[in-house]
Structure formats: structure tokens, C-alpha cells
Amino acid sequence: MYSEKVMEHFNNPRNVGDMEDPSGAGEIGNVRCGDVTKVFIKVNGEGIIEDVRFRTFGCGAAIASSSMLTEMVKGKTVEEALKVSNLDVADELGGLPKQKMHCSNLAADALRAAIEDYMKKQEK
Amino acid sequence: MERIYLDHGATTPLDPRVLEAMIPFLKEDFGNPSSLHFFGREVKKQLEEAREKVAGILGAEPEEIIFTSGGTEADNLALGGVVRALREKGKHIITTAVEHHAVLDTCTALKKEGFDITILPVDCYGMVEPQHVKEAIREDTLLVSVIYGNNEVGTVQPLEEIGQITREKGVLLHTDAVQTVGNLPLEVEKLQVDLLALSAHKFYGPKGAGILYCRQGIEIDRMLYGGGQERGRRAGTENVPGIIGMARAMEIAVEEKEENTRRMEKLRDKLIEGLLSMEDVYLNGHPTRRLAGNVNASFEYIEGEALLLSLDYKGIAASSGSACSSGSMEPSHVLLAMGIPEQTAHGSVRFTLGRHTTEEEIDYVLEVVPEAVQKLRDMSSIYQGKGEGK
């Protein structure tokens, strides 16, 4: 059902955990639907995402997508990171089963929410 | 790596004794039982012997046995076949919220044809209250359908009590008994049922063979058109190897019932006890009125499919709710009907033990599950528990 890459990320997820004083934090999902993803980012003076963490309550696809996403955006500027789409994450994982595509949406959406949170804080 | 199969509710391995019984019918005894010549006649004889064997176990007459392609077809035929034949006499069907989709989806289809469906609630253990059945029966009620042993949570329904009510009221009672062979009594007179569905591959028989017991005198509309097999109630050349295997498998299951049930219940209770000793883990289904091999537990803060994958990685095969629902996003309708909150329902996993399950296997599962659960909880966005330093 899942690609080797998905299983690899699921079994050895990267960048799991909370973050103290994140530059931005985002949360997407609903416990009633069985998936909630939180993403935390640390952005430096040049607008580069220096560190990123996630925590996910969800299925294997949701966990693997979160892990993959954190790898994809680490070291990117926030502008570049905003361009990473849900489909990009799924592609990078070697594809996801059709009925699991929506699970991969959470990660990129949570990152977007974290970036928006960061930008709001910047405006202040 | 160890490979431990704890998904016997999904399917069971073929018993070698069953395979042995089937082989001649996959080789030299290939005749069509409907044929006039001796190739067919010999096979027909064996087919009818299998029917007698099955009927004997159910305490039924051979002509009350309809061979089908499996449990799903038997359920479809029981519900659809009976109510369509009785269309002139009424239009009401009663069933429960914890049925297999083979029953529930058939009811949905029948609703579109103009039948009225009442879906009875269950208590927190997944039990139907017989009194509710009594109250739901109307003048135009044709049929009540109640699952015998629940495929997801293992709860065993009070069929006999329900059967007494339907008998008194002159309404037919169907039961999906697919999970119960080799575990619970099957005599139709004792259960007071009029229709009963079985599936061979759930009791170490082959896939593609099932049974619908249909009490004598009950009219039933055929679903498949073609030949006059099964007394015109189910067209299509009989799956002879499958049926022969099924009859043998049923015989073995019944012969070894006491011993297997006793052993499985002991292992089941050990697994339940071990899982419940973890924090925030709940048993789903009835604590005692449950199938010998069924353990269904909810692990808070994590999602069932993720736990299944972790267990699979460690060589343990289990399932999340019903095998059929594992591809869908909705939490199990059975758990929701029992009033279990969605979040908790999402974290449910079913382990179904079998004849060959050993104590060592259960010990290994009890070693692996807590680690896997903790790893997922540590990752979970909704877990605030231990190990977090908060």
C-alpha cells in the first residue's frame, strides 16, 4: 500500500517534537477526523527556516508526510517554503495511495499556518 | 523476524485436512454436479453429502442449506431475497447499528426500493436490548437481522431471547453468524433463527464458499439468474471444491470447539489484561460475552492505522476495526454506535486470535505494543502525558 520511502519516514521520522520560542507555530486538523498536525518553525534574520519541528496525531501517511515536509523546507526561505505544495510532499514520498492523499495535505497546510503566524509576528 | 498472525477475524489459513479433502475435486473429480453422466453424478453425490454434513451441524434439513460464494452473498440473499418475496405482506426491516456492511449496505439498497428500515441502537458494549426488538416490530415488519458475534468488537448478541420475540410475533429472524463457527453454538433451533449466514474462510476453510441456512417454507427471491441449482434459489455451477472443503472445515471446527475455545479464551484474556495495564487503553466490546479470539482496544492519543503499521514492522499482523473499513477515513460505525468518542474510535486496533496462536506470541505482542504505542504518543500532537517533561 505504501512506498518504501513512506515507511522509512514513518519508522524513522525526522524533526519530531516541540520547539521552545518558535518564530511561528501552526496547527491543522481535527481530532474527530483522526488527524492533527502541529508545525513549529525557527526563522533567522535572513528569513531562512533554520529549524522545523512537527507533532502529528494521525495515520502513517500523515506522519510520513509531516516528516518529509520538514526535511524539504529546512534551510529554505519562508517564500520558498510557501511554494511547497501538498502534491510536492506526496511526490517526494514516491506517491501516496489515492484515499490517503488528504492526509498529506495536513503537513503543508500546518507549515503555511506556521509561516502566517511568523509573518503576523513580524508585522508587530 | 517473527511473523505473528492476529487477524483471524479477516481470514484464516486453510487447514491441511481441508485441503486434502478438496484436492480430488480440483483434479479428477471435476465433473459438473448438474451433469447426467457419471462424471457429474459422482460429484453430485459428494456435494449432497457435504450438504447433509453442514445441515447436521446446524440441526437443519439438507434442503434448508443454500451454498453461496461467501458470507456477503448469504447476507444479501437472506435480506434481499426474503423481503422481495414478501413484498405484498409488508415493507419493514429491523436491524442493528453494529451489523457488518454486508447487512447494512443491503438495507440501504432495499430502502431505495421502498422498504422501511429501523436500525436499533446498542449499549456501550455493543449489545442489543431484546426489548428494543420487541418494541420496534410493527404490523408490516417482515424480517429482523441481528449479527450473532460481532466481527469488530466480538460482542455476542442475545440471539435466543430475540428469537423468542420474533417467533411470538411471527416475524423472521436472520443472523450473520460468520464469526462464530468453532466458538459458539450453531443449532438453529436453539438459536430460534430462520436464516443464518456463514463463510468458510473464517473457519479454516477456503475462500469463495458460504452458506445460507433458510428455514423450510420461507419464500426467497433469487438474486442470480441462470440454472436451477440450489433448488432454484441460487443459480450458477456449485463451487464444488470450496463446498467440500467448507463442510470438512466445519466438521473440524465443531469437533475441536471446546478445546480451541478454552485455549483461545485464556490467551485472549491474557492479552486484554496486558493491554489494559497500559495507561489510557480501553477494551471495546463486552468483557465476557465476547468471541473467544477477539480483542479490540482503543489506544488514546494515537491513530489505529499508524499503530498497525508499527506492529506490522515488528512482524505482528492485526487490523483496525473491520478489515473492510481500513481503506476508509470514517472511524468504525460499530464503535461510534457504542458511544465511543471519535478520537478514541480512531485509536482502535483489533487483534483476532486463532487456533494456532501461542502464549509466546501473546507475550511478544505484549512486549511490542507498549513500545510502539509510546513512540507514537511521543510523536502525537494531542499527547501531553508522561515522557514530555511537562
Side-chain angles (χ1 to χ4, degrees):
Chain A
M1 178 180 171
Y2 289 131
S3 70
E4 269 179 41
K5 196 94 179 260
V6 172
M7 289 311 296
E8 206 273 310
H9 272 270
F10 172 73
N11 285 313
N12 308 292
R14 332 297 198 246
N15 307 307
V16 180
D18 294 316
M19 188 184 282
E20 273 182 36
D21 305 318
S23 316
E27 178 179 328
I28 293 286
N30 184 329
V31 288
R32 295 182 59 197
C33 304
D35 36 31
V36 180
T37 292
K38 284 183 188 171
V39 169
F40 309 95
I41 51 171
K42 185 141 281 174
V43 182
N44 71 12
E46 282 100 64
I48 290 170
I49 299 174
E50 267 188 342
D51 199 9
V52 50
R53 299 278 146 167
F54 83 90
R55 289 189 69 167
T56 293
F57 160 64
C59 67
I63 290 171
S65 305
S66 310
S67 167
M68 187 76 240
L69 175 91
T70 60
E71 276 210 327
M72 287 169 76
V73 301
K74 205 170 183 175
K76 282 198 163 82
T77 64
V78 287
E79 286 76 22
E80 286 166 340
L82 276 174
K83 286 184 196 143
V84 175
S85 75
N86 299 316
L87 272 177
D88 295 335
V89 177
D91 281 348
E92 200 66 25
L93 282 170
L96 282 170
K98 213 173 175 183
Q99 77 270 22
K100 289 289 179 182
M101 283 304 289
H102 100 273
C103 312
S104 72
N105 294 354
L106 291 173
D109 288 349
L111 173 75
R112 205 153 295 137
I115 291 175
E116 277 165 21
D117 179 46
Y118 158 76
M119 285 175 163
K120 238 181 245 163
K121 283 182 186 164
Q122 288 295 100
E123 283 165 19
K124 280 179 191 168
Chain B
M1 187 177 69
E2 284 200 67
R3 281 167 66 94
I4 297 173
Y5 188 74
L6 291 179
D7 201 12
H8 292 84
T11 193
T12 55
L14 193 70
D15 187 298
R17 292 168 287 180
V18 171
L19 177 64
E20 200 186 326
M22 290 170 71
I23 283 176
F25 300 90
L26 293 161
K27 292 162 90 177
E28 61 270 27
D29 296 331
F30 65 89
N32 186 327
S34 299
S35 298
L36 179 75
H37 50 64
F38 55 83
F39 286 92
R41 285 201 307 271
E42 180 51 34
V43 170
K44 173 82 175 172
K45 204 177 123 227
Q46 302 278 336
L47 179 70
E48 292 315 313
E49 275 176 25
R51 194 186 305 279
E52 279 166 27
K53 215 181 264 183
V54 167
I57 291 169
L58 298 179
E61 296 300 324
E63 50 275 24
E64 295 177 315
I65 304 299
I66 306 173
F67 290 127
T68 68
S69 63
T72 293
E73 189 193 331
D75 280 331
N76 273 255
L77 183 57
L79 275 88
V82 167
V83 301
R84 285 186 194 116
L86 295 176
R87 199 186 280 278
E88 303 299 315
K89 295 188 179 137
K91 60 164 189 172
H92 185 224
I93 304 164
I94 299 168
T95 189
T96 82
V98 294
E99 297 299 305
H100 189 276
H101 283 296
V103 167
L104 284 181
D105 291 3
T106 300
C107 286
T108 307
L110 290 168
K111 196 172 176 184
K112 285 184 195 147
E113 288 179 34
F115 290 97
D116 271 357
I117 315 289
T118 297
I119 296 178
L120 297 176
V122 293
D123 67 13
C124 63
Y125 297 126
M127 293 273 283
V128 177
E129 173 58 58
Q131 192 58 29
H132 288 163
V133 177
K134 196 170 190 173
E135 287 160 12
I137 294 175
R138 319 190 304 213
E139 277 292 300
D140 62 348
T141 304
L142 299 171
L143 177 79
V144 176
S145 183
V146 177
I147 190 166
Y148 188 7
N150 190 272
N151 53 307
E152 291 193 36
V153 298
T155 300
V156 178
Q157 300 296 348
L159 262 196
E160 292 170 45
E161 284 174 62
I162 296 170
Q164 218 156 346
I165 293 166
T166 53
R167 285 280 156 92
E168 275 167 26
K169 298 268 188 176
V171 171
L172 297 174
L173 176 61
H174 167 63
T175 189
D176 175 332
V178 162
Q179 295 285 335
T180 61
V181 178
N183 186 180
L184 297 176
L186 290 171
E187 295 81 7
V188 291
E189 260 326 299
K190 183 174 186 305
L191 298 176
Q192 311 216 47
V193 296
D194 304 291
L195 299 125
L196 176 142
L198 296 176
S199 171
H201 76 101
K202 307 288 191 188
F203 50 89
Y204 306 85
K207 290 163 185 69
I211 293 164
L212 176 64
Y213 157 77
C214 179
R215 186 179 298 284
Q216 229 153 18
I218 296 177
E219 269 186 83
I220 196 158
D221 271 11
R222 55 162 62 192
M223 292 197 312
L224 299 177
Y225 299 96
Q229 292 90 348
E230 302 301 300
R231 297 172 167 256
R233 295 168 299 184
R234 202 275 184 184
T237 299
E238 299 86 346
N239 169 10
V240 177
I243 291 165
I244 300 290
M246 173 162 63
R248 181 74 184 111
M250 205 162 161
E251 200 174 45
I252 296 168
V254 171
E255 268 169 27
E256 301 177 352
K257 183 179 137 211
E258 306 302 326
E259 189 197 330
N260 284 328
T261 302
R262 209 177 318 120
R263 197 184 45 245
M264 277 161 60
E265 278 179 346
K266 212 176 130 222
L267 294 177
R268 172 197 72 187
D269 292 341
K270 179 174 184 172
L271 180 56
I272 290 174
E273 202 186 319
L275 294 177
L276 294 188
S277 70
M278 297 166 61
E279 265 179 56
D280 299 321
V281 177
Y282 314 109
L283 178 71
N284 296 316
H286 201 281
T288 53
R289 279 190 65 104
R290 73 187 298 136
L291 295 171
N294 180 290
V295 178
N296 186 314
S298 280
F299 300 84
E300 285 282 14
Y301 319 117
I302 65 175
E303 202 276 336
E305 192 236 36
L307 181 54
L308 283 191
L309 286 178
S310 305
L311 296 179
D312 182 59
Y313 187 67
K314 293 277 187 184
I316 300 167
S319 76
S320 189
S322 161
C324 317
S325 36
S326 54
S328 86
M329 302 294 146
E330 297 294 309
S332 141
H333 68 281
V334 173
L335 297 178
L336 295 183
M338 287 157 57
I340 292 168
E342 275 151 316
Q343 181 191 320
T344 310
H346 278 295
S348 81
V349 166
R350 179 187 75 166
F351 302 92
T352 36
L353 287 61
R355 253 182 222 170
H356 308 293
T357 304
T358 64
E359 184 147 20
E360 289 71 41
E361 289 179 330
I362 298 301
D363 289 337
Y364 177 73
V365 171
L366 286 174
E367 200 182 295
V368 169
V369 172
E371 289 168 19
V373 168
Q374 194 57 47
K375 187 181 167 191
L376 290 170
R377 283 182 175 171
D378 287 340
M379 245 188 263
S380 172
S381 51
I382 58 170
Y383 181 62
Q384 304 292 330
K386 65 177 184 184
E388 273 214 301
K390 282 190 179 175

